[in-house]
Amino acid sequence: MTALELVSLLTQAIYVLIFVLVTWTALRRRTRTSVDIALFFGAIATAIVESRIVTTFGLSQVELITDIVTLLVIAMPYLLLRLVDDFSDVPAVVSRLAEAGVVLSAIAFVVTVGTVPPPILIAIVIYFAALSTYSAVAFVLAGRRSAGVTRRRLQAVAAGTVLLGVAILVAGFAPLLPASLAGLPTGLTQVLALASAIAYFIGFAPPQILRRAWQEPELRSFLRRAASLPRMPDTRSIVHALQDGAGSTLGARAAIGLFDPETNTLRFQDPHGVLPSEIGQSDYLAWRVFETQHAEYYPDAARAHPALASAYRTRGVRSLLIAPISAANQRLGALEAYTDHQPVFSEDDLDLVRLLADQAAVILESRALIDEAARVQAHEEAARLKEDFISAAAHDLKTPLTTLVAQAQFLERRAETQPSAPADLPGLQRIVREGRRLSALVLELLDASRLEQGKLVGEREPVDLVELARDVARRDSYEGRQITVVADAPVVGSYDPRRIGQVLENLVENAVKYSPEESEVRIVIAHRNGEAFIDVTDRGIGIPAGDLPQMFQRFHRGTNVDDRRFAGMGLGLFICKGIVEQHGGRVSVESREGAGSTFKVVLPMETTR
Ligand code: ADP
């Protein structure tokens, strides 16, 4: 056997192998495209097998069979064009020309009984070349539109088509060459044919290992993008990012529907406006896939789902690939990919959609776990706070209560032993003072718990903050200290006067408590751009810089505050912040340790009701 014969045998073996493989695919999943591919290679394989049988057994060529084979070969470029038409729209005029070409070539062969005159032969070869070129270009363009395995396969198919076209061109022109060059085209044709066979094999029947290798980069880039997704702020943003990622990986548009067990529906946030936002147990394709848990390819979306046909048409959706999103027996939703053309290799695209859906499931599951962990943490935090709260409250209530009980017992004993002695006024005053302190602490605790329930602020009414501040400054709860109120004009807004008064009183009490006896405490009130500004300033111990960020947190007390010297629970500022925020305002503090503090309250001056 010569080298050329070996090449020829190899080429033929590959073409027959491709035919067997694509026929198997077409039998398993009958789509127009898979049948057209099988037809195309059927034509080639028949021609090859016939010529092999004839040469191997030295049979004389049977006229009829030879004619059938010739006709099949003539039909090849037309079959290729049919295939192109399956996934991109071949203009009607090109189709008609191709059909006319097949018919005319066939007539020419039949009429001339196989010995076609050179001009007609040239015309037929040119027709072959033109159709092959057209198809090759169409495959290249389809490749550009696709992604992953499909893209690579289409590139291989385009290469195979070009090589086959050139091989036919060379073979077709061979009879026209002078006898001295006769050997050249045969060798060239054989080599080109072998190259086209290999390219077609890679394109139409690539081995699994090659598909996996082609899939990897796409998947890897999707995973790279996806790695940070579970940490996004909410599931909605994750779904959006997943849709974008899946879309660009697939070279299509994608939408994800998440299962909502409460309504028993799939909820879509389809950015392309094709799907309704909620899909229930109707005959919607996504629901079908979700229920059966089987990925599906719908070549003609409008036909598969007539109710959405007009939406599909207006938004340029031709076919659909849908895969279920599930993780460990848990059905989470479905991933839909829309394409404006039919995928040539639907099984590969469907494979990719399946893989992406699996990845989406992993990401959504991680997110659910993160949420669950956060819920557990919040629960533990709440339990810890409750414990803190109880122990802080118990501790702070105990001190005045002990004084109160001791003082009362002393008075009781005194009354028993010296019934006629005059009343111990300082002792009684101490009882009243500690009783008041106790009652203030209990009120603080109640306020903090009301604040949690959002029930702290009551009816609002027009309030002049300047007048209110003067009123608060006049109260006698500041150890006789002078409080200065500075304001140019009334500052009126709609507030709960009792609660805003409480804020002012608390800030002034703190200013007094944490500053030396003789130092000044002042309230400055002003307004600007529809907002009221209240500053409470003292020249006291100040707040260490490290404490400032936590100053308004529940139970937080400055590290420069000695519990025995300054009584308190660390709830006052927390309550002030809550009251101000429930009025739509904000609080802040500026302070330097040892130099004093200014607590700043800003309240909106809404129109009074
Ligand atoms: P309490 O005064 O009962 O501890 P607050 O919530 O009113 O609770 O205040 C929390 C902490 O903020 C105080 O313990 C103190 O450390 C600090 N603080 C509040 N006001 C002042 C102030 N005017 N000067 C210095 N530190 C202050």
Side-chain angles (χ1 to χ4, degrees):
M1 190 188 274
T2 65
L4 267 191
E5 277 170 356
L6 187 67
V7 169
S8 155
L9 185 66
L10 200 60
T11 310
Q12 293 176 346
I14 296 176
Y15 269 114
V16 173
L17 178 66
I18 300 176
F19 169 65
V20 172
L21 293 173
V22 297
T23 307
W24 173 241
T25 310
L27 287 176
R28 267 195 357 226
R29 187 182 280 272
R30 265 222 356 246
T31 61
R32 216 187 104 124
T33 316
S34 64
V35 171
D36 279 344
I37 294 173
L39 278 179
F40 175 67
F41 285 100
I44 302 179
T46 313
I48 290 169
V49 171
E50 190 262 0
S51 77
R52 266 290 136 198
I53 291 173
V54 169
T55 47
T56 314
F57 298 105
L59 301 174
S60 66
Q61 301 220 336
V62 184
E63 279 286 307
L64 182 64
I65 294 183
T66 314
D67 283 352
I68 292 175
V69 168
T70 311
L71 290 178
L72 280 177
V73 172
I74 288 174
M76 257 168 46
Y78 173 69
L79 289 174
L80 200 59
L81 190 75
R82 252 182 75 94
L83 184 53
V84 171
D85 190 37
D86 289 345
F87 61 86
S88 70
D89 294 313
V90 173
V93 57
V94 176
S95 300
R96 295 298 92 75
L97 279 177
E99 283 158 10
V102 177
V103 174
L104 288 178
S105 314
I107 291 173
F109 260 96
V110 174
V111 169
T112 59
V113 204
T115 45
V116 187
I120 298 182
L121 188 64
I122 292 174
I124 293 175
V125 171
I126 291 176
Y127 157 76
F128 252 70
L131 271 196
S132 304
T133 312
Y134 182 92
S135 308
V137 170
F139 282 124
V140 169
L141 292 181
R144 286 229 183 111
R145 276 198 311 242
S146 326
V149 183
T150 301
R151 182 185 206 123
R152 302 270 167 63
R153 287 181 69 174
L154 282 169
Q155 286 165 345
V157 170
T161 309
V162 171
L163 289 165
L164 187 66
V166 177
I168 290 169
L169 211 58
V170 173
F173 280 113
L176 307 175
L177 288 178
S180 57
L181 293 174
L184 188 67
T186 320
L188 193 58
T189 309
Q190 294 295 354
V191 174
L192 285 168
L194 177 61
S196 85
I198 294 172
Y200 271 153
F201 179 71
I202 292 176
F204 282 110
Q208 196 63 21
I209 187 162
L210 205 57
R211 293 182 193 200
R212 289 269 171 272
W214 282 336
Q215 226 157 34
E216 208 184 279
E218 310 291 327
L219 212 58
R220 205 187 284 269
S221 81
F222 177 78
L223 288 179
R224 229 189 343 263
R225 276 195 300 263
S228 58
L229 295 188
R231 303 237 160 243
M232 288 185 88
D234 51 29
T235 310
R236 199 186 160 82
S237 356
I238 296 178
V239 167
H240 277 287
L242 279 175
Q243 287 176 163
D244 288 351
S248 58
T249 307
L250 287 162
R253 288 170 288 169
I256 286 177
L258 289 185
F259 180 56
D260 179 352
E262 266 172 37
T263 51
N264 207 26
T265 51
L266 286 176
R267 288 185 180 278
F268 278 89
Q269 300 157 21
D270 184 3
H272 317 292
V274 178
L275 294 170
S277 62
E278 220 179 78
I279 287 182
Q281 283 171 312
S282 55
D283 60 341
Y284 282 109
L285 305 175
W287 184 266
R288 226 183 285 167
V289 167
F290 176 72
E291 222 167 31
T292 58
Q293 292 289 295
H294 278 296
E296 278 294 346
Y297 163 51
Y298 298 97
D300 186 345
R303 172 120 47 98
H305 200 286
L308 286 181
S310 71
Y312 286 146
R313 259 182 225 115
T314 50
R315 301 211 159 69
V317 174
R318 182 127 160 225
S319 21
L320 287 179
L321 297 149
I322 314 177
I325 301 179
S326 358
N329 296 337
Q330 223 188 332
R331 300 168 177 204
L332 303 175
L335 169 66
E336 274 205 42
Y338 326 115
T339 53
D340 54 2
H341 55 274
Q342 287 197 3
V344 191
F345 304 115
S346 49
E347 75 277 23
D348 275 326
D349 286 332
L350 197 58
D351 235 19
L352 190 54
V353 173
R354 239 185 245 127
L355 277 173
L356 293 180
D358 287 348
Q359 292 310 320
V362 171
I363 290 161
L364 290 168
E365 268 297 282
S366 329
R367 174 62 195 197
L369 287 177
I370 290 173
D371 282 349
E372 182 57 29
R375 255 196 303 278
V376 170
Q377 206 177 356
H379 191 76
E380 279 172 2
E381 176 76 353
R384 197 180 57 76
L385 273 177
K386 209 179 261 174
E387 274 170 28
D388 280 0
F389 192 86
I390 291 170
S391 70
H395 176 264
D396 283 283
L397 294 177
K398 196 170 147 269
T399 319
L401 208 55
T402 313
T403 320
L404 205 136
V405 172
Q407 190 65 40
Q409 279 172 340
F410 172 75
L411 290 183
E412 185 187 31
R413 255 199 317 276
R414 192 167 177 267
E416 279 167 5
T417 52
Q418 311 163 33
S420 54
D424 175 5
L425 201 56
L428 287 172
Q429 279 168 343
R430 204 170 300 137
I431 288 182
V432 171
R433 203 169 50 242
E434 291 303 322
R436 282 216 178 113
R437 223 181 107 200
L438 208 53
S439 131
L441 283 176
V442 171
L443 285 180
E444 220 173 36
L445 285 170
L446 281 177
D447 280 353
S449 106
R450 274 199 207 114
L451 185 68
E452 304 279 283
Q453 299 157 16
K455 290 188 202 149
L456 200 56
V457 173
E459 277 294 301
R460 301 186 194 192
E461 57 188 75
V463 174
D464 175 7
L465 291 175
V466 178
E467 203 180 298
L468 184 67
R470 295 216 163 98
D471 190 35
V472 169
R474 274 194 295 271
R475 292 181 191 166
D476 57 3
S477 39
Y478 314 120
E479 302 158 15
R481 293 270 291 276
Q482 187 68 35
I483 316 296
T484 321
V485 178
V486 183
D488 293 340
V491 176
V492 183
S494 174
Y495 314 114
D496 174 346
R498 196 163 76 86
R499 291 304 179 186
I500 295 297
Q502 181 181 345
V503 170
L504 291 175
E505 184 169 332
N506 209 308
L507 294 179
V508 173
E509 269 173 2
N510 278 350
V512 167
K513 179 158 80 174
Y514 299 109
S515 64
E517 260 173 42
E518 300 304 317
S519 64
E520 185 194 22
V521 169
R522 72 159 62 194
I523 309 177
V524 180
I525 304 182
H527 69 93
R528 228 174 19 252
N529 305 330
E531 286 185 317
F533 295 82
I534 308 169
D535 287 2
V536 180
T537 305
D538 65 68
R539 307 208 176 286
I541 60 169
I543 298 166
D547 283 323
L548 285 175
Q550 296 99 285
M551 226 55 246
F552 294 92
Q553 278 174 18
R554 182 162 42 177
F555 303 132
H556 190 89
R557 305 202 72 199
T559 42
N560 60 336
V561 162
D562 176 359
D563 269 349
R564 281 159 305 184
R565 200 171 137 218
F566 301 105
M569 273 197 287
L571 277 178
L573 289 180
F574 170 72
I575 294 169
C576 287
K577 179 171 185 268
I579 293 175
V580 171
E581 284 179 353
Q582 282 182 23
H583 276 87
R586 53 191 188 275
V587 284
S588 58
V589 58
E590 285 170 9
S591 180
R592 215 149 44 84
E593 196 174 0
S597 317
T598 297
F599 283 83
K600 293 169 167 286
V601 174
V602 183
L603 288 167
M605 295 169 70
E606 315 145 284
T607 44
T608 51
R609 277 172 290 166

